[in-house]
Amino acid sequence: MFSRASQVRIPIGEPECPAAVSDHASAYLQTIPLLERLHRRLMDVIKDEFERLGRQDLTPVQAMILYNLGSDEVSAGELRSRGMYQGSNVSYNLKKLVGMGYVHHERCELDRRSVRIRLTAEGLEIRNLLRELFVRHAEDLSRQGILDEFPLPVINRQFRRIESFWADRIRYIY
């Protein structure tokens, strides 16, 4: 038998806040958990697609690293700044990706401490698989009327502004 206290329901997406907040603050407070859930859903979608294709050698995070790397040649630090990866996870995952043949790496000629990375043909194949998946999703979203109002450019601009705001807060903590 459950006690009455264990049956308390906290609505998802409506964070508790002791003081009254503005409409902007309320919307922002709803955005935070939504972004987190969207990221987890994206990882689930990628995992499901790879299982469907019989490609279980990569984790969704590793696949997104390949996707975000694209056709560029960058350092691990540059890749970390582009994506949503913790520093140690990038190094670990890059080591795995190099070992599996998806990423090529070499020391920089000018600074031997720096390692430059780029996708191999196999890495580009994975990146293209993800790109095709995302394009299919965009077309399905449009067909289903989910993108009828097409606010994504506005939303993306707002997310870039939030990202910049957060980056500024991290930089000026110290």
Side-chain angles (χ1 to χ4, degrees):
M1 187 64 111
F2 292 99
S3 71
R4 201 109 169 95
S6 66
Q7 297 175 0
V8 174
R9 184 176 169 265
I10 298 174
I12 294 177
E14 298 175 22
E16 299 275 329
C17 190
V21 295
S22 69
D23 289 343
H24 289 292
S26 177
Y28 179 74
L29 292 173
Q30 292 176 28
T31 299
I32 302 299
L34 179 59
L35 289 172
E36 187 179 5
R37 286 194 313 272
L38 283 170
H39 174 72
R40 284 195 307 268
R41 279 287 181 242
L42 177 61
M43 296 297 104
D44 290 343
V45 164
I46 293 169
K47 182 176 183 276
D48 184 63
E49 178 72 3
F50 277 32
E51 286 174 356
R52 188 182 66 74
L53 296 171
R55 300 209 63 140
Q56 298 173 339
D57 56 334
L58 289 169
T59 68
V61 169
Q62 290 167 341
M64 283 304 297
I65 289 173
L66 297 176
Y67 182 78
N68 287 323
L69 183 53
S71 59
D72 296 338
E73 181 176 298
V74 299
S75 71
E78 290 171 288
L79 184 64
R80 187 180 323 114
S81 69
R82 290 183 185 191
M84 52 261 173
Y85 321 107
Q86 296 299 320
S88 61
N89 289 343
V90 171
S91 298
Y92 170 81
N93 283 312
L94 284 176
K95 184 176 179 179
K96 294 294 241 180
L97 291 168
V98 167
M100 291 186 282
Y102 292 112
V103 172
H104 175 74
H105 75 290
E106 62 187 325
R107 294 244 174 244
C108 180
E109 296 269 336
L110 298 173
D111 182 357
R112 303 298 293 168
R113 296 169 296 171
S114 179
V115 175
R116 305 293 292 174
I117 57 173
R118 70 178 182 278
L119 297 182
T120 62
E122 295 82 9
L124 283 169
E125 180 184 327
I126 296 298
R127 185 191 192 281
N128 291 337
L129 282 173
L130 282 176
R131 187 173 191 295
E132 290 169 11
L133 172 68
F134 297 154
V135 167
R136 276 196 323 268
H137 286 175
E139 290 168 353
D140 288 347
L141 286 163
S142 182
R143 240 187 325 277
Q144 293 177 26
I146 296 170
L147 297 182
D148 273 355
E149 298 173 25
F150 210 74
L152 285 181
V154 174
I155 293 169
N156 290 339
R157 186 172 59 243
Q158 290 298 100
F159 284 161
R160 282 191 293 277
R161 289 175 177 169
I162 291 170
E163 179 183 27
S164 176
F165 175 82
W166 287 348
D168 289 346
R169 293 307 166 276
I170 292 167
R171 262 186 231 126
Y172 297 117
I173 287 176
Y174 305 105

